Amino acid sequence: VANPAALSLLMAAIKSRHRWQSQPACECYRQMILKGMPAERKVALLDQLQVGAILGSLVMGPEPFQDEGRFEGADGLTWKLASLTSTLWEQLVALSKETEGTTLRQGCQQYLNDLFPVLSFFAQHESEEVAHRVLPTLGAYVNYLRTNEQVCDVKQMNTIFQVVYQRLHHKAAEDDGEQGAAADEEDAIFERELFHIFRSLAKLSPTSVSSAIGDQLQRTLYGQSVLRSDVESALSILMQAGEALPNHMRESDLGVLGGPVSVFFNAHTIPYHQNPRIAEVYMELTVRYCEYLKQNPSFLPRVLLCFMDHRGLRHPSFSVQSRASYLLTRLARAIRQQLLPYLSDVMTSLQEVLTEVAETPVTGGAQGADGEGKSSWRGADDRVYAFEAAGLIVGQEQVEIKQQAIWLSAVVEALCSRMKQSVEKIRAGEWSLAFGGAAAGHQIAALGFLSKGFQGRFIRERQDLLQIFVKALEVSLSILPVFPPGQAVRGKVISMIHRMVECLRDQIMPYLLPALQPFVVSADVHELADAIALINQMLVKFKGEFQSTCSQILPELLSRIFTVIPSDRLPALGDRALGKTQDEIEVDVLHRAYIAFLHTLGLAKLHGLLLFDNVVAFMKPIVLSLAVCASSHEEMSVRKLCVSTFASYLTAWTANGDSEKNAPGFVQFAAQEFVPQVCIAVPLGPDFNAKDAASCTMVDECMGVVRTVHGLTGDAFLHHLASTVLPQYGLLSPGAEGFCEQVKLGATNAQLRTTLLALRTSNGNGHGVDGNRH
């Protein structure tokens, strides 16, 4: 096809601009360009085809380029020409890489420079389909320049910047911008592509891009008759610049970003500031460039006012309110010290907002008594972050204790009062249980977020603050009897207790038993798992100090657990291929929490609680469940945890040499059941992966149990292993006897593991093992 006669026909067809001739001609050219051949021949072919010159004359010629089918997507001539341009550009970039260090490289680069105006023309085309076709190519070219440390032509760089800005502007103009709704998936992908190109460009030439951003901001924020889309696009590229240049963000003056950031903060007003999109991106920018606010605190009053008024926390849009609450928390965390001079004004404004948030939980359910169970949350109410922001601002050591107590007491009193009102309205039949629970849960969540702003040490050192949080905990616990198991508000109470454990430490001890009992005595599977996680936290925090409370709830806790989880087999979790149901997932979570509880009980040195008279009846189910899980659980990490827990109990219960009195039959169970069915059967089983690190660590734990049992029972145990247990798995003399001899001589866990796995390999990679034999 690449002969003078055919090429003259194709060239005439394209230049005719008639879509029925031009489109097939474009495809012919594209296929010729894609033909695989050595670089020298490809360069000669491109010179012969003169595609770049043809495209340039079409789109950059004296006559305006028009296409009657330009709005028909991939069927339009413009799209075909854009596709041809993109293909040619990609081939030239590939040739440029391939011919590096040769004379052909310069020719390829010149060809790219000549073709660049054509590529940028299609990138800025009014048709999104056309722009979508060439933008990935443009992005790949910028990445090529950056990764190969090529010098980018300043004109090209400015053109690419204008392309990205124009496409963002075009996209923003198409959105109404009033609802703040997320764009559809295709638009989101397009936007990410634009931002990716811009970030690559910023990394390639930070100084030039920063200057271009500053100029654009100057025209947009200080100009006349600007459009909403102008403002949104300008602020968006400033946002992306901070992400592209993180090293400059760490400099006190923000490096090359200092100029455009200064233009942004010096603007007394932002056009269309109340628009949801612009309001959100403005607050995002203040958080991203908060280092500038640290160095220039004179801008803080203006920024804080934007957060507090109708452009932020009081914005009509719920989405903007939520985002403002979260971003204010981040800002307060970053510049707490700088906020101290404005503390009184900020807290006065915040208290009004907090009152409104506490009074208006976002729920879609009916308020009447007949609406029970039909209430549904629109999702997490991020406005409660405003309470954390208040805590961060007030909870500083420089603030007077008296002033802190006044502010904190006012907020907590208001929340507790509304919590009580919610319960009273439920009892009076004015609110349904679901709606009232949603309201009370909202207020409890607010209390938890408020406490996050205060350091636990700080609360414990100031008794006035401590008593305020103690009262908040008391009120939160007092509402539990109103709500049966399964209500979401009970989960909020558990989260509140978690927070108070961190804040109050030993001051919470008197409240632990009444706090835990409702979740142990009457709780569904999900709540029971949450309660066990809470108990684990207390065991880690308080260890022996928690013994009295733990001993009182332990019998009921174990009884509830074993009504859900069988001790002699793993919970039935359905067909793995079909997935688990929600009930099966909750049982699985409870089972894991139970195993973690047994392990944490050992870490806290409270193994002895299981030997108390009111608990000893559960000893057999406990050790049996550990053995079953250690031999059969699908995850090796859980198996290892079970073996480690069993080993700690074995050591603790036999420490004083009177194991039969403390735990009758336990050592015998370890020697005759646990060691054969877990410590030997698992590593010799057909499914054991000797190359897996977690599996090998689990075997090390098993060998530790073998050594401990040998120390308790003597050589009779080794004889039983060599003559009865190991032969079941094909390990006969002298291998079995050699392994037992190593145990007797005091080999380490790792040495025993190496020996056992070597014997396994020499005997056919393991034999079948029934994980439920015991």
Side-chain angles (χ1 to χ4, degrees):
V1 177
N3 62 76
L7 290 179
S8 63
L9 289 174
L10 293 175
M11 188 179 303
I14 288 184
K15 290 184 175 181
S16 71
R17 303 193 183 189
H18 192 290
R19 56 186 302 193
W20 302 112
Q21 296 180 28
S22 299
Q23 289 182 13
C26 286
E27 187 60 24
C28 287
Y29 269 111
R30 203 175 75 86
Q31 292 300 327
M32 283 190 284
I33 291 170
L34 287 171
K35 180 69 176 177
M37 59 185 69
E40 294 82 0
R41 290 187 60 192
K42 176 62 73 71
V43 173
L45 175 64
L46 294 179
D47 288 338
Q48 181 183 2
L49 296 178
Q50 299 181 10
V51 184
I54 296 172
L55 291 170
S57 65
L58 281 173
V59 302
M60 309 300 294
E63 297 182 21
F65 178 76
Q66 295 179 347
D67 170 25
E68 62 187 43
R70 65 182 179 274
F71 297 118
E72 298 181 14
D75 293 329
L77 172 59
T78 307
W79 192 94
K80 292 290 186 182
L81 291 171
S83 180
L84 176 60
T85 304
S86 182
T87 301
L88 176 59
W89 186 275
E90 291 164 359
Q91 291 294 310
L92 286 170
V93 171
L95 285 171
S96 183
K97 295 178 183 178
E98 189 176 346
T99 59
E100 187 172 1
T102 69
T103 55
L104 294 175
R105 170 71 180 275
Q106 186 175 359
C108 293
Q109 195 61 47
Q110 183 59 46
Y111 211 146
L112 285 170
N113 292 337
D114 294 341
L115 190 62
F116 183 80
V118 180
L119 187 72
S120 62
F121 170 83
F122 289 120
Q124 299 176 79
H125 199 273
E126 61 181 326
S127 169
E128 287 193 4
E129 290 86 353
V130 173
H132 283 204
R133 179 63 184 88
V134 299
L135 278 174
T137 302
L138 192 62
Y141 176 61
V142 175
N143 280 334
Y144 162 71
L145 293 176
R146 185 170 64 87
T147 55
N148 290 275
E149 299 181 352
Q150 300 294 316
V151 177
C152 182
D153 181 80
V154 175
K155 290 184 178 179
Q156 286 189 7
M157 189 213 63
N158 288 334
T159 301
I160 296 172
F161 175 85
Q162 291 302 323
V163 167
V164 173
Y165 179 79
Q166 183 192 43
R167 298 316 310 184
L168 288 171
H169 181 275
H170 183 64
K171 179 183 176 300
E174 289 183 341
D175 299 331
D176 58 20
E178 295 301 323
Q179 302 299 323
D184 59 31
E185 185 176 354
E186 185 177 347
D187 284 345
I189 293 173
F190 183 45
E191 186 178 58
R192 286 197 296 270
E193 180 70 32
L194 289 172
F195 285 151
H196 175 71
I197 296 173
F198 174 76
R199 290 194 296 269
S200 298
L201 189 66
K203 293 173 183 177
L204 177 64
S205 183
T207 303
S208 300
V209 169
S210 174
S211 176
I213 295 172
D215 292 343
Q216 193 64 55
L217 286 170
Q218 191 76 35
R219 288 192 296 269
T220 302
L221 302 183
Y222 300 89
Q224 300 292 325
S225 303
V226 295
L227 303 174
R228 178 195 57 79
S229 52
D230 293 324
V231 181
E232 182 180 339
S233 304
L235 296 183
S236 295
I237 59 174
L238 178 60
M239 187 73 184
Q240 293 299 317
E243 187 172 331
L245 304 172
N247 292 333
H248 295 276
M249 294 286 291
R250 288 191 283 269
E251 298 178 19
S252 58
D253 60 351
L254 298 181
V256 298
L257 293 174
V261 172
S262 175
V263 173
F264 167 71
F265 279 112
N266 274 289
H268 290 280
T269 59
I270 303 294
Y272 305 96
H273 199 153
Q274 199 170 352
N275 176 272
R277 294 177 185 273
I278 294 175
E280 289 187 15
V281 74
Y282 175 87
M283 292 183 288
E284 295 272 8
L285 282 168
T286 59
V287 173
R288 170 150 289 181
Y289 296 110
C290 61
E291 190 65 34
Y292 188 87
L293 290 175
K294 283 185 180 180
Q295 304 299 326
N296 301 272
S298 60
F299 295 112
L300 268 176
R302 189 186 307 159
V303 170
L304 292 173
L305 182 62
C306 291
F307 269 94
M308 298 297 169
D309 64 13
H310 60 277
R311 295 166 289 183
L313 295 172
R314 291 184 174 85
H315 197 281
S317 167
F318 174 82
S319 174
V320 176
Q321 293 176 25
S322 300
R323 196 64 184 159
S325 301
Y326 170 71
L327 292 173
L328 181 60
T329 299
R330 288 183 55 188
L331 184 67
R333 194 181 299 278
I335 57 171
R336 297 177 75 184
Q337 299 288 329
Q338 287 74 20
L339 292 178
L340 285 173
Y342 315 101
L343 184 62
S344 180
D345 293 338
V346 170
M347 288 309 301
T348 300
S349 298
L350 263 182
Q351 279 184 319
E352 298 175 4
V353 173
L354 299 181
T355 299
E356 182 179 349
V357 172
E359 289 178 345
T360 55
V362 181
T363 177
Q367 298 185 20
D370 58 347
E372 182 175 336
K374 298 180 181 178
S375 176
S376 60
W377 286 87
R378 283 195 341 202
D381 189 351
D382 285 348
R383 296 180 305 162
V384 294
Y385 275 106
F387 288 89
E388 183 177 355
L392 288 167
I393 296 169
V394 175
Q396 302 185 63
E397 295 189 23
Q398 296 88 336
V399 181
E400 294 182 2
I401 300 177
K402 182 179 179 181
Q403 194 64 50
Q404 280 181 330
I406 292 173
W407 277 328
L408 183 61
S409 178
V411 176
V412 172
E413 285 282 355
L415 288 170
C416 291
S417 175
R418 288 174 179 80
M419 203 186 310
K420 293 175 182 177
Q421 290 174 10
S422 300
V423 173
E424 290 171 359
K425 290 186 177 183
I426 292 173
R427 287 173 173 160
E430 298 178 26
W431 281 2
S432 69
L433 189 65
F435 184 87
H442 176 72
Q443 285 128 20
I444 293 172
L447 287 170
F449 274 84
L450 180 64
S451 69
K452 290 181 180 180
F454 293 81
Q455 296 182 11
R457 171 190 59 81
F458 188 60
I459 293 175
R460 294 188 295 276
E461 289 175 355
R462 301 191 171 187
Q463 286 297 315
D464 291 348
L465 306 185
L466 187 144
Q467 293 304 318
I468 293 173
F469 280 112
V470 166
K471 180 178 180 180
L473 177 62
E474 290 175 345
V475 175
S476 300
L477 295 176
S478 68
I479 71 170
L480 280 175
V482 179
F483 300 98
Q487 290 288 319
V489 64
R490 292 167 64 93
K492 301 284 188 181
V493 175
I494 290 179
S495 299
M496 177 67 174
I497 300 171
H498 275 291
R499 281 297 312 152
M500 292 300 102
V501 169
E502 296 295 329
C503 293
L504 305 181
R505 291 292 177 90
D506 55 340
Q507 300 292 327
I508 200 176
M509 296 301 291
Y511 302 93
L512 290 182
L513 185 60
L516 291 171
Q517 279 181 331
F519 299 105
V520 173
V521 175
S522 59
D524 60 12
V525 176
H526 179 73
E527 285 181 2
L528 188 58
D530 287 345
I532 294 174
L534 179 59
I535 292 171
N536 289 343
Q537 181 196 19
M538 295 175 182
L539 285 169
V540 172
K541 287 288 182 184
F542 302 124
K543 296 182 173 59
E545 298 176 43
F546 187 58
Q547 178 172 342
S548 176
T549 302
C550 189
S551 64
Q552 295 181 65
I553 63 170
L554 197 52
E556 187 65 35
L557 176 65
L558 293 173
S559 177
R560 291 279 294 114
I561 289 173
F562 286 123
T563 59
V564 180
I565 299 174
S567 62
D568 59 345
R569 64 185 186 281
L570 288 176
L573 298 178
D575 188 343
R576 187 185 305 178
L578 298 177
K580 301 173 183 177
T581 66
Q582 184 61 36
D583 290 342
E584 290 170 345
I585 291 173
E586 291 181 354
V587 171
D588 186 33
V589 171
L590 175 61
H591 182 253
R592 292 170 185 268
Y594 158 69
I595 296 298
F597 165 70
L598 294 179
H599 182 70
T600 310
L601 202 63
L603 292 178
K605 308 298 182 185
L606 296 179
H607 322 73
L609 292 180
L610 299 177
L611 303 178
F612 284 13
D613 292 340
N614 60 345
V615 184
V616 71
F618 295 101
M619 182 186 297
K620 182 177 179 180
I622 287 172
V623 296
L624 188 58
S625 64
L626 285 173
V628 171
C629 188
S631 65
S632 309
H633 200 278
E634 61 183 2
E635 292 186 18
M636 195 58 66
S637 59
V638 179
R639 291 189 181 191
K640 175 186 175 297
L641 193 65
C642 292
V643 176
S644 176
T645 303
F646 188 91
S648 69
Y649 285 10
L650 184 62
T651 302
W653 290 347
T654 60
N656 59 8
D658 195 4
S659 58
E660 283 303 310
K661 181 179 179 181
N662 292 335
F666 181 55
V667 174
Q668 182 182 5
F669 175 85
Q672 297 182 4
E673 299 289 345
F674 194 88
V675 170
Q677 297 296 334
V678 177
C679 302
I680 302 299
V682 171
L684 296 182
D687 298 329
F688 183 80
N689 183 8
K691 296 181 180 180
D692 179 57
S695 300
C696 292
T697 306
M698 186 265 189
V699 177
D700 286 349
E701 297 281 354
C702 290
M703 295 303 101
V705 174
V706 171
R707 295 172 58 198
T708 303
V709 173
H710 170 245
L712 294 170
T713 59
D715 292 344
F717 165 69
L718 296 180
H719 177 73
H720 175 66
L721 276 183
S723 62
T724 305
V725 177
L726 293 174
Q728 294 178 7
Y729 307 102
L731 302 186
L732 305 175
S733 298
E737 293 177 354
F739 173 77
C740 293
E741 185 65 22
Q742 279 195 323
V743 176
K744 185 176 181 179
L745 294 176
T748 64
N749 294 348
Q751 291 171 336
L752 292 176
R753 182 242 304 163
T754 302
T755 300
L756 188 63
L757 295 182
L759 292 173
R760 174 184 186 272
T761 303
S762 64
N763 282 272
N765 293 325
H767 297 266
V769 178
D770 182 0
N772 292 320
R773 281 180 58 186
H774 50 277

